[in-house]
């Protein structure tokens, strides 16, 4: 279980609550956590939040984080979180980003 606080609006705290909400199937709490996490997204934490969204099956948050990452691709890909990204998540991200048109000439 994850508890702590990101500098970016309490993202890690809400990630812990997102974990609990998913476990206990509390859809209202899950939705509130996702909305709060969205307000705290930054280029530094976007990949971490994307990973959490995938882990906790938070589809709306996953899509939001993905679009944020694509819209800030240069900065996001230079973060430590991107360098440390799970291999499967990285493959899926690159594949989806290419379909989204992120790598156009």
């Amino acid at each position: 279980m994850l508890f702590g606080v990101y500098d970016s609006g309490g993202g890690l705290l809400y990630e812990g609550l997102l974990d609990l909400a998913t476990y206990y199937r509390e859809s209202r709490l899950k939705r509130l956590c996702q909305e709060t996490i969205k307000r705290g997204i930054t280029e530094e934490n976007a990949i971490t939040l994307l990973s959490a969204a995938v882990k906790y099956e938070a589809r709306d948050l996953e899509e939001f984080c993905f679009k944020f990452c694509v819209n800030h691709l240069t900065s996001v890909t230079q973060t430590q979180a991107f360098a440390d990204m799970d291999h499967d998540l990285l493959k899926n991200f690159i594949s989806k980003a290419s379909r989204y048109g992120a790598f156009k000439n």
Side-chain angles (χ1 to χ4, degrees):
M1 192 107 17
L2 301 170
F3 288 98
V5 179
Y6 284 142
D7 292 339
S8 61
L12 188 56
L13 174 64
Y14 286 100
E15 188 179 329
L17 289 174
L18 185 58
D19 183 16
L20 287 173
T22 301
Y23 181 79
Y24 289 108
R25 300 179 192 268
E26 291 288 336
S27 58
R28 184 171 179 263
L29 177 59
K30 189 172 182 177
R31 198 169 42 255
L32 289 170
C33 290
Q34 290 181 71
E35 291 306 315
T36 302
I37 289 169
K38 286 178 186 180
R39 289 193 298 272
I41 195 169
T42 66
E43 292 154 347
E44 288 294 320
N45 69 13
I47 292 295
T48 302
L49 296 177
L50 175 63
S51 178
V54 170
K55 179 179 179 180
Y56 300 117
E57 299 176 356
R59 302 289 181 236
D60 183 53
L61 180 60
E62 180 181 345
E63 189 64 21
F64 179 87
C65 292
F66 170 77
K67 287 179 180 177
F68 182 93
C69 289
V70 169
N71 289 332
H72 300 89
L73 195 57
T74 301
S75 297
V76 168
T77 57
Q78 295 175 13
T79 64
Q80 189 61 47
F82 187 84
D84 296 339
M85 191 187 315
D86 172 77
H87 181 72
D88 288 335
L89 182 61
L90 177 60
K91 280 180 26 181
N92 290 335
F93 176 81
I94 290 171
S95 177
K96 187 174 178 180
S98 70
R99 289 190 307 273
Y100 193 75
F103 305 116
K104 291 181 180 177
N105 291 336

